[in-house]
Amino acid sequence: MIKKEEQQALIDLANEARRRAYVPYSNYPVGAALRTKSGRLYTGVNVENAAYPQTMCAERVAIFKAVSEGEMEFEVIAVVTNNGGSPCGGCRQVMAEFGLDALVLLADGAGALQKVMTVSELLPEAFTPKHLQNG
Ligand code: THU
């Protein structure tokens, strides 16, 4: 369980990271902050590219940073955008890979929590590693 103050601290961390978003094309900065079950914190921002499809979302940056440090069990991820926008389909799929029960906190640019949901709520009927075990 994550307490209200901890939720806000994670949102604030994501919002602070968001200042480092590299968004010369969309001007839509996104910040993410991920807390693992072991209590470690990883932030991410969107990083755009002149070759547009090479852009990487903030959520995936945070998740890939965690996984590359050997952390694969996530408790909660906060995502901050100007307007409380929701994670894209690709990020939902990447979240689902590492657990459907993690909480997702969506907040706006003022750091106000807009929505709380689980990964399974964000991506119902997810395709997960389990499907490959008896395929
Ligand atoms: N973006 C994210 O960082 N996360 C999402 O889940 C949605 C989209 C970024 C990608 C791009 O840099 C900008 O937002 C506009 O699509």
Side-chain angles (χ1 to χ4, degrees):
M1 261 299 280
I2 178 162
K3 299 183 196 134
K4 279 270 172 253
E5 314 87 77
E6 292 173 330
Q7 285 191 1
Q8 194 57 52
L10 203 63
I11 289 167
D12 293 346
L13 188 64
N15 209 6
E16 192 185 299
R18 199 166 74 100
R19 288 194 264 137
R20 300 189 290 276
Y22 177 73
V23 291
Y25 309 108
S26 73
N27 195 31
Y28 187 77
V30 184
L34 174 67
R35 188 169 93 176
T36 65
K37 288 190 178 165
S38 65
R40 294 212 169 89
L41 299 171
Y42 297 90
T43 60
V45 299
N46 48 338
V47 181
E48 297 186 344
N49 193 280
Y52 296 172
Q54 308 315 320
T55 290
M56 183 52 65
C57 292
E59 299 92 318
R60 273 182 276 177
V61 170
I63 291 168
F64 293 161
K65 280 167 74 176
V67 174
S68 69
E69 296 294 324
E71 293 284 338
M72 287 190 281
E73 293 189 31
F74 307 147
E75 186 177 40
V76 48
I77 182 167
V79 182
V80 180
T81 59
N82 286 340
N83 53 6
S86 195
C88 78
C91 287
R92 293 175 195 211
Q93 181 64 36
V94 170
M95 288 175 190
E97 179 77 15
F98 301 104
L100 296 170
D101 295 330
L103 270 189
V104 182
L105 313 175
L106 302 182
D108 65 22
L113 183 64
Q114 297 292 328
K115 245 182 200 174
V116 182
M117 70 211 78
T118 62
V119 171
S120 62
E121 286 168 335
L122 263 180
L123 189 64
E125 305 294 331
F127 184 79
T128 68
K130 274 190 187 159
H131 292 101
L132 295 177
Q133 277 164 20
N134 47 17

